[in-house]
Amino acid sequence: MSVRLCVFGLLLIGLAGCENIEGVAGNVADQLASVGAAPDATNEGIRTLSLLGGDVRARGPEAYCVDQGASNARRGFAVLAGCALLSDDVALMPSLDGLITIQFGDEDTASVAGNETAFAQFLETENGRALLAGSGDLANVAEVSTTTSETGVLARFEDTSGPVFAGTSGPQWRGFQDINGRLATISVLSFDRNALSRGEGERLLTVAMDELGEVNAQVVVAEAEDEENR
């Protein structure tokens, strides 16, 4: 059984679950190398993952690592959790313990910057609630609260259609921001075993959005330097 599969069991039974699973890899560095780990692979796991051919990157807050097996780099999708959930060799866990997903849209889908208020108001409409609902049924999202910031738009809601991932429940926090010409959607989910408060969920989402903006600003700088050197 891979370390990746262990994280989903942990969502249900907590941190102790991996200790007794036979066959879990003992050396995280070897395991990461075997799946083509990103250059910043350390004894804390993989913090940053290139997506969509390197056009953008996914990175979470400190002590969050990328679950490469659950992520899909070609489709611009990444799943992040506390590093200790992805390997029994790593003890590092974030102070705000949730599950983060990142989804990048196609090129030229950026639509938040300069339209934050209108975007937030849309999310509170019936069409917006249907967009947020995992099932697409607006009846499953009764109320949406939104805020805007320099980073983008943040929404809090509860989806009664069922958990996105086993072992998660309760309110969800979702952020929308423009990254390198693409619309990026960042979700924060709360674990059953350690539910996030309203303030904690919003704070984790804010930090996740800031980290995503920072790591992708580095992509823009690197591309500009490459262009100058040609």
Side-chain angles (χ1 to χ4, degrees), residues 52-74:
L52 299 171
D55 287 350
V56 289
R57 295 174 182 169
R59 185 177 77 188
E62 184 177 354
Y64 275 87
C65 290
V66 177
D67 184 339
Q68 289 196 114
S71 304
N72 190 324
R74 291 183 179 180

Side-chain angles (χ1 to χ4, degrees), residues 24-32 87-89:
V24 171
N27 188 307
V28 66
D30 290 345
Q31 175 142 327
L32 294 175
S87 171
D88 57 351
D89 280 358

Side-chain angles (χ1 to χ4, degrees), residues 49-58 70-80 101-106 182-186 212 216:
L49 184 67
S50 292
L51 306 175
L52 299 171
D55 287 350
V56 289
R57 295 174 182 169
S71 304
N72 190 324
R74 291 183 179 180
R75 295 186 178 180
F77 177 69
V79 178
L80 303 95
T101 68
I102 298 170
Q103 177 67 67
F104 282 95
D106 294 334
R182 300 174 186 266
L183 176 64
T185 304
I186 305 92
L212 196 63
N216 283 286

Side-chain angles (χ1 to χ4, degrees), residues 188-230:
V188 167
L189 306 175
S190 189
F191 293 139
D192 293 340
R193 57 174 173 75
N194 188 22
L196 297 167
S197 70
R198 184 180 187 123
E200 289 172 336
E202 184 172 327
R203 190 158 65 252
L204 179 54
L205 177 59
T206 299
V207 173
M209 293 173 71
D210 288 342
E211 287 285 353
L212 196 63
E214 181 179 331
V215 74
N216 283 286
Q218 297 171 10
V219 174
V220 174
V221 171
E223 289 176 348
E225 291 177 347
D226 289 343
E227 188 67 28
E228 289 179 359
N229 294 329
R230 289 176 183 174

